[in-house]
C-alpha cells in the first residue's frame, strides 16, 4: 500500500492512506454496522515523531487497517508517540487506550470530558441510561421500549476501555512535532469537552465531529448530559466561523476546502429546525416526542418510526434540545408533570 493524494475523487471511506498536506495523512478506519461507515484518523509526522489525531474504535478490523496504513508510511503501531483525541466517543478514544497498554504512547483529551469518561468507565452502568432518563422527560415511552428490547438488561461491556488520559488538554498553543504546533480550541456541543485542533501555518482544522461535511452531528450524546447542549454547539460553531477560514479535516466524510462554508450550512440548518419545531407546539402537541413524530428525519425525510431504535433516540433528544433552547430564548415555556416536560 502506498500513500495516495487526497484528490476527492475516491469514496472517502475507501481503505488506504491519503496525504492531506505535507506531514499529514488520513487513514479511514472501519466502523462495522455503523451508518457513519468509517472514522478518519490523521497521522501527523515529521519523519521521526508520530502523532495521531483520534484513534478509532478498539476493533480488530480497525487495528489491522491502522497497522497497514502506518506501514505504508514506514512506521508501526509501536511508533505512535501520542494520541490527541477530539472527544470521548468510542470510535475516537478506545483504540488509543488499547494501543497505549501494549506499546505506550501518551493520550490527550479535553478536560471537560472527564465526567463522561469517568461515567463511561463504570462497569455497573447500563448502556444509554442517561439517555433513557432524558427520553422519559421527552414523553418518549415507546422509544424507551424499543431501546429496551435492543439493549436492555446488558451492563456496560467496554468499561475497561475508558481509562483516564495522560493529559487533560487545555485551550491554547501546543507543540505537536518539531516545527509544528496546534491550537487546541474547546468546542462543546457534540460533547461537553469536544476540542478541535487548528494548524495555523498549514491552514488546517481537525474538526472531529464538531463540523462534518455531510451530516449534522448529534447534540449532547454523552453519559453525563449538559443542560443546553444545542446552545453550546451553536456558540462553538460561531467561534469557528469567527476564525480564519481553513481546510477542514473531519472525523467522518471527505476533506473539504472551507470549514466556513459548512459552518454556515449547519447554522442555517439549526435556525430552520428551531423555527419548524417551535411551530409544531400546539395545545395537542406539547412534548418533544410528539413533535419528533411530526418531523422528517435525515435527507430522505423519514418518519421517526422508520428509523432504528438508536436513531429514534437521537432524533427525540435532538428535538428536546431545540425546544429547550427555545425556552431559554423566551420563545416557549415549559412545565413538568410526572417527569414529562410539556411546552407551550
Amino acid at each position: 500500500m502506498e500513500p495516495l493524494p487526497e484528490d476527492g475523487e475516491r469514496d472517502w471511506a475507501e481503505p488506504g492512506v491519503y496525504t492531506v498536506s505535507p506531514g499529514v495523512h488520513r487513514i479511514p478506519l472501519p466502523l462495522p454496522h455503523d451508518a457513519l461507515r468509517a472514522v478518519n484518523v490523521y497521522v501527523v509526522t515529521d519523519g521521526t515523531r508520530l502523532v495521531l489525531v483520534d484513534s478509532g474504535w478498539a476493533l480488530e478490523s480497525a487495528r489491522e487497517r491502522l497497522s497497514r496504513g502506518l506501514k505504508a508510511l514506514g512506521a508501526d503501531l509501536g511508533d505512535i508517540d501520542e494520541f490527541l483525541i477530539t472527544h470521548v466517543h468510542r470510535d475516537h478514544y478506545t483504540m488509543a487506550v488499547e494501543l497505549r497498554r501494549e506499546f505506550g504512547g501518551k493520550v490527550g483529551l479535553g478536560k471537560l470530558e472527564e465526567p463522561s469518561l469517568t461515567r463511561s468507565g463504570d462497569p455497573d452502568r447500563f448502556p444509554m441510561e442517561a439517555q433513557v432518563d432524558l427520553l422519559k422527560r421527552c414523553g418518549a415511552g415507546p422509544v424507551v421500549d424499543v431501546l429496551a428490547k435492543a439493549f436492555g438488561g446488558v451492563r456496560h461491556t467496554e468499561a475497561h476501555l475508558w481509562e483516564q488520559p495522560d493529559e487533560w488538554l487545555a485551550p491554547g498553543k501546543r507543540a505537536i512535532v518539531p516545527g509544528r504546533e496546534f491550537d487546541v480550541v474547546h468546542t462543546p456541543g457534540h460533547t461537553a469537552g469536544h476540542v478541535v485542533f487548528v494548524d495555523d501555518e498549514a491552514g488546517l482544522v481537525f474538526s472531529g465531529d464538531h463540523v462534518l461535511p455531510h451530516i449534522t452531528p448529534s447534540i449532547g450524546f454523552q453519559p453525563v448530559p449538559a443542560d443546553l447542549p444545542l446552545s453550546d454547539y451553536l456558540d462553538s460553531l460561531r467561534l469557528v466561523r469567527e476564525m480564519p477560514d481553513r481546510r477542514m479535516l473531519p472525523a467522518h466524510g471527505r476533506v473539504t476546502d472551507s470549514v466556513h462554508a459548512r459552518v454556515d450550512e449547519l447554522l442555517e440548518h439549526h435556525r430552520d429546525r428551531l423555527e419548524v419545531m417551535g411551530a409544531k407546539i400546539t395545545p395537542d402537541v406539547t412534548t418533544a416526542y410528539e413533535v419528533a413524530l411530526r418531523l422528517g428525519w435525515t435527507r430522505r425525510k423519514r418518519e421517526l418510526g422508520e428509523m432504528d431504535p438508536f436513531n429514534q433516540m437521537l432524533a427525540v433528544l435532538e428535538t428536546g434540545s431545540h425546544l429547550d433552547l427555545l425556552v431559554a430564548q423566551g420563545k416557549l415555556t415549559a412545565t413538568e408533570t410526572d417527569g414529562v416536560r410539556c411546552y407551550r
Side-chain angles (χ1 to χ4, degrees), residues 58 93-94 97-98 100-101 120-123 156-164:
Y93 190 73
T94 57
V97 172
E98 186 175 81
R100 178 178 64 177
R101 287 180 188 154
S120 293
D122 180 356
H156 192 28
T157 58
E158 295 183 337
H160 65 291
L161 292 174
W162 301 100
E163 294 176 357
Q164 299 287 298

Side-chain angles (χ1 to χ4, degrees), residues 228-246:
L228 285 173
L230 181 58
S231 179
D232 295 338
Y233 181 64
L234 296 177
D235 286 345
S236 296
L237 286 177
R238 296 183 188 105
L239 175 64
V240 172
R241 187 61 174 84
E242 290 167 1
M243 299 174 181
D245 199 8
R246 297 179 175 94

Side-chain angles (χ1 to χ4, degrees), residues 44 49 51 82 84 174-178 180-182 197:
V44 183
R49 181 171 166 80
V51 174
E82 189 171 32
L84 297 177
R174 188 186 186 287
I176 304 302
V177 299
R180 188 170 220 140
E181 66 178 12
F182 285 174
F197 302 108

Side-chain angles (χ1 to χ4, degrees), residues 195-258:
V195 295
V196 301
F197 302 108
V198 176
D199 184 332
D200 261 328
E201 187 170 337
L204 306 174
V205 56
F206 299 82
S207 62
D209 281 6
H210 177 54
V211 186
L212 298 174
H214 307 304
I215 62 173
T216 57
S218 61
I219 303 300
F221 179 61
Q222 54 197 358
V224 179
D227 291 336
L228 285 173
L230 181 58
S231 179
D232 295 338
Y233 181 64
L234 296 177
D235 286 345
S236 296
L237 286 177
R238 296 183 188 105
L239 175 64
V240 172
R241 187 61 174 84
E242 290 167 1
M243 299 174 181
D245 199 8
R246 297 179 175 94
R247 199 173 179 204
M248 182 177 78
L249 281 57
H252 308 283
R254 65 178 64 256
V255 172
T256 59
D257 289 336
S258 171

Side-chain angles (χ1 to χ4, degrees), residues 7 25 31 116 136 171 174 202 204 214 220 251 283 317 327:
D7 58 14
H25 310 274
L31 296 176
S116 283
K136 290 176 180 177
R174 188 186 186 287
L204 306 174
H214 307 304
L317 297 184
V327 172

Side-chain angles (χ1 to χ4, degrees), residues 128-323:
M128 296 176 286
E129 60 184 14
Q131 283 64 48
V132 167
D133 290 341
L134 291 174
L135 286 170
K136 290 176 180 177
R137 194 182 76 161
C138 290
V143 179
V144 172
D145 292 341
V146 295
L147 275 179
K149 290 179 182 178
F151 303 104
V154 179
R155 291 197 180 273
H156 192 28
T157 58
E158 295 183 337
H160 65 291
L161 292 174
W162 301 100
E163 294 176 357
Q164 299 287 298
D166 299 282
E167 177 187 357
W168 293 111
L169 300 174
K173 299 289 187 181
R174 188 186 186 287
I176 304 302
V177 299
R180 188 170 220 140
E181 66 178 12
F182 285 174
D183 194 5
V184 181
V185 181
H186 181 217
T187 52
H190 179 62
T191 66
H194 193 291
V195 295
V196 301
F197 302 108
V198 176
D199 184 332
D200 261 328
E201 187 170 337
L204 306 174
V205 56
F206 299 82
S207 62
D209 281 6
H210 177 54
V211 186
L212 298 174
H214 307 304
I215 62 173
T216 57
S218 61
I219 303 300
F221 179 61
Q222 54 197 358
V224 179
D227 291 336
L228 285 173
L230 181 58
S231 179
D232 295 338
Y233 181 64
L234 296 177
D235 286 345
S236 296
L237 286 177
R238 296 183 188 105
L239 175 64
V240 172
R241 187 61 174 84
E242 290 167 1
M243 299 174 181
D245 199 8
R246 297 179 175 94
R247 199 173 179 204
M248 182 177 78
L249 281 57
H252 308 283
R254 65 178 64 256
V255 172
T256 59
D257 289 336
S258 171
V259 68
H260 280 184
R262 183 55 179 157
V263 167
D264 288 342
E265 291 174 353
L266 289 168
L267 288 169
E268 181 63 26
H269 166 80
H270 285 291
R271 278 193 292 267
D272 290 345
R273 293 301 262 183
L274 283 165
E275 183 176 343
V276 169
M277 290 180 183
K280 296 293 184 183
I281 296 296
T282 68
D284 298 321
V285 178
T286 63
T287 69
Y289 176 61
E290 290 169 338
V291 171
L293 286 171
R294 289 161 174 80
L295 297 172
W297 294 98
T298 76
R299 293 180 179 179
R300 300 176 184 176
K301 301 299 181 183
R302 299 168 66 190
E303 293 185 3
L304 186 69
E306 295 176 329
M307 297 192 291
D308 63 81
F310 183 79
N311 281 294
Q312 287 186 44
M313 173 195 69
L314 292 180
V316 172
L317 297 184
E318 178 177 326
T319 304
S321 70
H322 282 78
L323 297 175

